[in-house]
């Protein structure tokens, strides 16, 4: 939930780059605060942050995490990937983007994709971290990559909900991260065998 008055979405000025602006006849909007129609927030990364058995290893998904460049924006804006999981970066635009990862704990990448590309693999991530990806051609372009050590995470979409499945019964701390509103935590989230548990987070307007 988003509490407070949502400020009007900030418009991105792409007018200097026709090939970008042309793909947004109704304007393009910044994604650092996206309030959904139902008053919830998009692009919140929700993850289990404590309570998993210590030392337990979780095999990474074999399905690649994907990041696409389209209309001079990243899709999705927030992408989560497990340590060791493959990740591919695609370009749906027919012109140049440069994908530049500002990682510190993970293999950095910085390469150009001059035209449409169905997906280029990057080296698998090695350590939990949140880092930004930017485009050196279009300064407004930005995405966040979350690297996690387990599969118990989810990113909120257009209805603000999240679903984390397969979590064994236990007592957990769940953390919700938003790029401009910070982090919220809920401790003592009890998960029982075979029963769904609901957790709600509220973020206040800044
Ligand atoms: Cu770009």
């Amino acid at each position: 939930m988003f509490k407070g008055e949502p400020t009007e979405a900030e418009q991105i000025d792409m007018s200097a780059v026709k090939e970008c602006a042309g793909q947004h006849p109704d304007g393009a909007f910044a994604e650092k605060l996206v309030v959904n129609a139902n008053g919830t927030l998009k692009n919140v990364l929700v993850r289990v942050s404590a309570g998993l058995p210590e030392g337990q290893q979780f095999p990474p998904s074999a399905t690649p995490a994907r990041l696409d460049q389209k209309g001079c924006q990243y899709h999705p804006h927030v992408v989560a990937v497990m340590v060791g999981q493959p990740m591919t970066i695609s370009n749906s635009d027919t012109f140049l983007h440069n994908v530049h990862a500002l990682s510190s704990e993970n293999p950095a990448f910085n390469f150009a994709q001059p035209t449409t590309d169905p997906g280029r693999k990057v080296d698998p991530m090695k350590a939990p971290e949140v880092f930004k990806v930017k485009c050196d051609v279009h300064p407004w372009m930005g995405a966040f990559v979350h690297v996690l050590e387990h599969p118990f995470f989810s990113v909120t979409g257009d209805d603000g909900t999240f679903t984390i499945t397969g979590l064994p019964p236990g007592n957990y701390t769940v953390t919700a991260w938003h790029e401009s509103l910070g982090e919220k935590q809920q401790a003592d989230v009890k998960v029982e065998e075979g029963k769904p548990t609901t957790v709600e987070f509220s973020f206040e307007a800044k």
Side-chain angles (χ1 to χ4, degrees):
M1 291 302 302
F2 177 73
K3 292 266 164 76
E5 277 304 302
T7 48
E8 213 160 290
E10 196 180 308
Q11 192 142 1
I12 302 169
D13 182 6
M14 295 185 182
S15 58
V17 190
K18 274 203 189 77
E19 57 216 348
C20 300
Q23 296 188 59
H24 301 275
D26 301 319
F29 296 91
E31 290 160 299
K32 66 181 180 206
L33 179 66
V34 180
V35 181
N36 294 319
N38 63 0
T40 60
L41 284 168
K42 190 176 177 174
N43 297 323
V44 175
L45 188 289
V46 183
R47 70 180 201 275
V48 171
S49 52
L52 290 165
E54 233 159 276
Q56 189 169 345
Q57 303 266 324
F58 297 93
S61 167
T63 308
R66 306 194 71 97
L67 183 63
D68 187 35
Q69 300 148 105
K70 189 175 190 333
C72 302
Q73 289 187 295
Y74 289 105
H75 299 277
H77 179 62
V78 173
V79 62
V81 57
M82 274 185 74
V83 169
Q85 182 182 358
M87 181 156 82
T88 61
I89 299 185
S90 54
N91 185 5
S92 294
D93 288 328
T94 54
F95 48 84
L96 173 74
H97 292 293
N98 185 78
V99 197
H100 187 172
L102 306 176
S103 56
S104 56
E105 309 293 325
N106 284 292
F109 50 88
N110 184 4
F111 57 87
Q113 282 179 308
T115 185
T116 318
D117 183 342
R120 171 167 165 168
K121 266 193 182 155
V122 298
D123 288 337
M125 298 298 130
K126 292 191 154 71
E129 181 186 16
V130 184
F131 62 86
K132 198 169 177 177
V133 172
K134 67 178 190 129
C135 173
D136 297 318
V137 184
H138 308 109
W140 61 80
M141 287 180 71
F144 287 91
V145 177
H146 282 250
V147 187
L148 297 119
E149 278 178 310
H150 60 69
F152 305 114
F153 58 81
S154 176
V155 182
T156 63
D158 293 333
D159 66 356
T161 65
F162 63 92
T163 304
I164 294 171
T165 55
L167 194 57
N171 203 355
Y172 299 98
T173 301
V174 181
T175 298
W177 170 97
H178 184 272
E179 71 174 279
S180 56
L181 301 176
E183 273 196 349
K184 299 282 175 189
Q185 261 191 9
Q186 275 202 36
D188 266 335
V189 176
K190 285 185 182 58
V191 175
E192 292 175 60
E193 185 70 53
K195 275 192 197 165
T197 301
T198 304
V199 184
E200 245 179 63
F201 293 93
S202 284
F203 285 87
E204 294 82 37
K206 276 203 167 158

